[in-house]
Amino acid sequence: MTQKIAIQGELGSYSHEACRNKRPDMEVLPCRGFEDAINAVRSGEAELAMLPVENTTYGRVADIHRLLPHSGLKIIDEAFVRVHINLLGVPGAKLEDIREAHSHLVLLPQCASFLREHNIQGRVSPDNARAAREVAERGDVTHAALASELAGEIYGLNVLARHIEDQGNNTTRFLTMAREADTSRRGENGMITSFVFQVRNIPAALYKAMGGFATNGVNMTKLESYMVNGSFTATQFYADIDGHPEDENVRLAMDELNYFTTDVEILGVYPADRKR
């Protein structure tokens, strides 16, 4: 029986593309929302979930950072997908026919120059792959979708213009989530440890907590803060560091972190997808 990997959104999305690149042997399970994808893994309906966490143009995916600490799942892998946005039309449509382009709110501004140049009006859709499906169902040569080539393949649309995004380095980072942690050393580009914590209510607590990483030579590649339960006084931090918890310098840094913080939780220990 083929194992399943859950995604938020429909088939043909960039999450689907990440699954095809990283877990080509697994069946993709589309889910309405991020929580649905997480619950699919927790319930056993899927073995893994592929969730986007940040984009070089749009920034972090806030909902994911809010959900991860309480998901009950662990990060076992990461994947980077170069987000190439394409104008997809129904068979027979030409670029000059297109009057409206449908896509997710996040994708539309990333193609603003192209849309303006060709006098195409952007229209918001809940999901770029859904936009492709609905354009195919509509069958109107004046309507197109902004989506991946994979979406075009799935829904029978033609690529009218390829790679039309304004930024040439548009990339999304995904995390592969599982029910059980995998702390084994693996991969060719080193290990990453991800964790969340809250600082103690003492002066300069964050500065002191971070000091252990600097003095022990641990590279911190990400530090994000966000409110807890809507409170302005309770702040939780999400961090990525290079290294494995069993590395001596990482162990010393984490010991110092624990002294100045509360509720430290390791979310995953996994191989880097590429050299950083």
Side-chain angles (χ1 to χ4, degrees):
M1 184 175 179
T2 304
Q3 293 187 321
K4 295 181 180 180
I5 182 167
I7 63 169
Q8 182 276 325
E10 302 197 19
L11 295 179
S13 66
Y14 293 102
S15 296
H16 185 180
E17 190 171 324
C19 295
R20 174 181 277 194
N21 294 344
K22 201 74 174 180
R23 303 280 175 164
D25 56 326
M26 300 186 75
E27 178 186 344
V28 175
L29 175 67
C31 299
R32 182 179 296 274
F34 293 126
E35 290 183 86
D36 299 308
I38 289 170
N39 288 335
V41 179
R42 293 176 65 175
S43 69
E45 184 180 2
E47 281 65 43
L48 303 174
M50 183 70 75
L51 304 176
V53 288
E54 58 190 324
N55 175 268
T56 53
T57 300
Y58 178 69
R60 75 180 182 182
V61 181
D63 282 350
I64 291 299
H65 287 81
R66 176 179 59 83
L67 292 171
L68 283 184
H70 309 292
S71 68
L73 305 182
K74 296 297 182 181
I75 307 167
I76 62 166
D77 213 348
E78 69 169 355
F80 291 87
V81 171
R82 176 68 174 82
V83 179
H84 288 302
I85 305 173
N86 309 277
L87 186 72
L88 307 176
V90 298
K94 300 180 178 62
L95 176 57
E96 54 268 27
D97 295 329
I98 305 303
R99 294 293 173 264
E100 296 184 9
H102 303 258
S103 196
H104 191 278
L105 179 63
V106 171
L107 259 63
L108 290 171
Q110 298 178 28
C111 305
S113 297
F114 178 89
L115 297 179
R116 186 167 51 250
E117 178 185 352
H118 294 278
N119 196 29
I120 298 172
Q121 182 68 43
R123 299 297 184 194
V124 176
S125 175
D127 180 82
N128 57 79
R130 175 175 170 176
R133 175 173 61 80
E134 291 179 343
V135 164
E137 291 171 350
R138 186 191 298 261
D140 188 336
V141 296
T142 67
H143 288 256
L146 301 175
S148 67
E149 290 192 57
L150 176 59
E153 293 175 19
I154 291 173
Y155 301 110
L157 300 177
N158 294 334
V159 178
L160 305 182
R162 184 174 274 107
H163 302 178
I164 62 174
E165 60 274 10
D166 293 341
Q167 300 293 328
N169 62 343
N170 191 4
T171 301
T172 297
R173 180 188 180 215
F174 292 84
L175 296 178
T176 307
M177 310 294 297
R179 287 185 293 275
E180 301 293 334
D182 181 357
T183 60
S184 64
R185 295 182 184 271
R186 56 201 190 276
E188 301 176 351
N189 299 314
M191 299 293 290
I192 301 170
T193 299
S194 296
F195 54 93
V196 291
F197 64 92
Q198 293 184 40
V199 294
R200 293 171 57 194
N201 189 22
I202 58 175
L206 180 60
Y207 173 79
K208 293 173 182 176
M210 296 296 95
F213 295 96
T215 56
N216 288 286
V218 177
N219 183 34
M220 180 170 287
T221 59
K222 176 166 291 297
L223 180 64
E224 298 271 6
S225 65
Y226 49 101
M227 293 185 295
V228 178
N229 297 324
S231 171
F232 284 102
T233 58
T235 302
Q236 185 157 265
F237 293 87
Y238 169 96
D240 292 339
I241 59 172
D242 288 342
H244 190 284
E246 294 176 357
D247 295 340
E248 180 65 10
N249 62 335
V250 173
R251 185 185 65 79
L252 293 172
M254 294 299 290
D255 284 346
E256 194 161 341
L257 174 73
N258 278 288
Y259 184 78
F260 293 106
T261 61
T262 60
D263 302 321
V264 177
E265 180 184 356
I266 293 181
L267 299 179
V269 182
Y270 52 99
D273 183 58
R274 61 184 184 184
K275 292 182 179 178
R276 292 171 173 244

